[in-house]
């Protein structure tokens, strides 16, 4: 039901990088609402940033290339998500040449 509500609030043709899903809601208001919801649900408190980090970690774990990860996450540079999420890849799994390929 929540996804349907969000889709009705922000139709696909209106989805632009600079268009807010919740106009008028500040970052702190959203964070506070999420914290209250987490406490009410009896789960650890997560922030919007925590959820973004989790989503990017899952994408990375699914094998998305650095370019795709940067594009989906909205990072301008491929190096940003690789710097943040490369600790999730065991050193022996990815060689230097593979990192060089991703950074091209």
């Amino acid at each position: 039901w929540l996804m349907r509500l969000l889709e009705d609030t922000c139709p696909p043709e209106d989805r632009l990088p600079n268009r807010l899903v919740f106009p008028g809601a500040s970052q702190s208001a959203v964070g506070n609402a999420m914290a209250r919801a987490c406490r009410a649900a009896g789960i650890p408190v997560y922030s919007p940033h925590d959820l973004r980090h989790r989503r990017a970690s899952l994408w990375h774990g699914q094998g998305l290339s650095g370019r795709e990860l940067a594009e989906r996450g909205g990072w301008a540079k491929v190096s940003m998500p690789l710097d943040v999420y490369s600790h999730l890849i065991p050193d022996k799994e990815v060689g230097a040449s593979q990192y060089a390929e991703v950074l091209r």
Side-chain angles (χ1 to χ4, degrees), residues 28-69:
S28 62
V30 172
N32 290 337
M34 283 184 64
R36 284 192 307 275
C38 289
R39 283 192 290 276
I43 62 172
V45 174
Y46 293 100
S47 70
H49 182 78
D50 294 330
L51 296 181
R52 174 180 165 83
H53 186 76
R54 174 72 175 149
R55 181 71 255 172
S57 297
L58 290 171
W59 283 333
H60 186 74
Q62 292 169 343
L64 260 64
S65 70
R67 279 197 187 110
E68 181 72 11
L69 186 60

